[in-house]
Amino acid sequence: MIRFVAAAALAVLAGILVLRAIRGSGGDGDGMVYFYDLSEKKLFAAPRASVPPIRGFNDATADGVRAIVITDASDVKDKKKQRIAYLEKYTSELKKFFEEARGGAEGAQAAGGTLRREDVPANTLVRRLADSEWHTMNTPEGEKIVTEWNVPGPNGAYPTVCVP
């Protein structure tokens, strides 16, 4: 039962991510989100519509992955209290689909027309900052990575996701 609920929650999250990626916007707007340059080991801001992996700091290598940055502090802008919950990127197939789908109906047709809801978690790779191995979001380890940080702290409050 718990596994079914976790899978359903991931499917809903994946659907939201798909819609945001295809539309190129979401939530609090067309703003910026955190990315992490794997070779430079540094956070940077990039447009929310960026499809990871993207070009990082130092060269044309696509080693910039989305970083889910969180804090337990009441001041979400206090960078000293922020930490990376996990990193996320897409398989080359999903990245290509999102990029082609942005081109409108013709782009979506070129990308293969439709994307099934279960395809997104199966093609979204996640890992902890300290890990070296990537896991698909729809595996037990992937599910653990994307949910383990979202627990109440000593003050009873849940962590807040931060944006630049």
Side-chain angles (χ1 to χ4, degrees):
M1 179 66 177
I2 292 174
R3 215 167 155 77
F4 174 76
V5 171
L10 281 174
V12 169
L13 175 64
I16 291 168
L17 292 173
V18 169
L19 289 174
R20 284 183 176 178
I22 290 172
R23 289 183 186 149
S25 66
D28 57 352
D30 305 319
M32 307 293 270
V33 294
Y34 282 113
F35 276 75
Y36 184 79
D37 186 304
L38 294 168
S39 61
E40 294 293 311
K41 299 183 181 348
K42 292 182 184 176
L43 279 174
F44 65 99
R48 178 180 303 279
S50 301
V51 182
I54 63 173
R55 181 182 173 278
F57 280 120
N58 57 342
D59 55 26
T61 305
D63 61 351
V65 296
R66 185 166 290 125
I68 308 307
V69 176
I70 61 170
T71 186
D72 295 324
S74 59
D75 179 9
V76 296
K77 295 296 182 188
D78 184 353
K79 297 204 183 287
K80 292 178 184 173
K81 305 263 176 144
Q82 294 177 352
R83 67 185 190 282
I84 297 173
Y86 66 94
L87 304 173
E88 175 182 288
K89 66 179 182 175
Y90 301 138
T91 62
S92 56
E93 296 83 13
L94 187 59
K95 180 176 173 68
K96 181 180 179 190
F97 180 90
F98 283 153
E99 289 172 341
E100 289 178 350
R102 282 206 187 117
E106 299 82 25
Q109 191 65 27
T114 60
L115 183 68
R116 297 176 308 159
R117 190 179 309 192
E118 62 268 17
D119 290 339
V120 176
N123 287 280
T124 301
L125 306 170
V126 295
R127 73 168 225 209
R128 293 174 199 88
L129 183 61
D131 294 346
S132 59
E133 188 176 340
W134 292 90
H135 301 276
T136 56
M137 191 182 275
N138 65 340
T139 62
E141 185 62 20
E143 289 175 10
K144 181 178 178 185
I145 290 168
V146 300
T147 59
E148 67 189 356
W149 61 271
N150 197 19
V151 296
N155 63 355
Y158 285 87
T160 303
V161 176
C162 305
V163 294

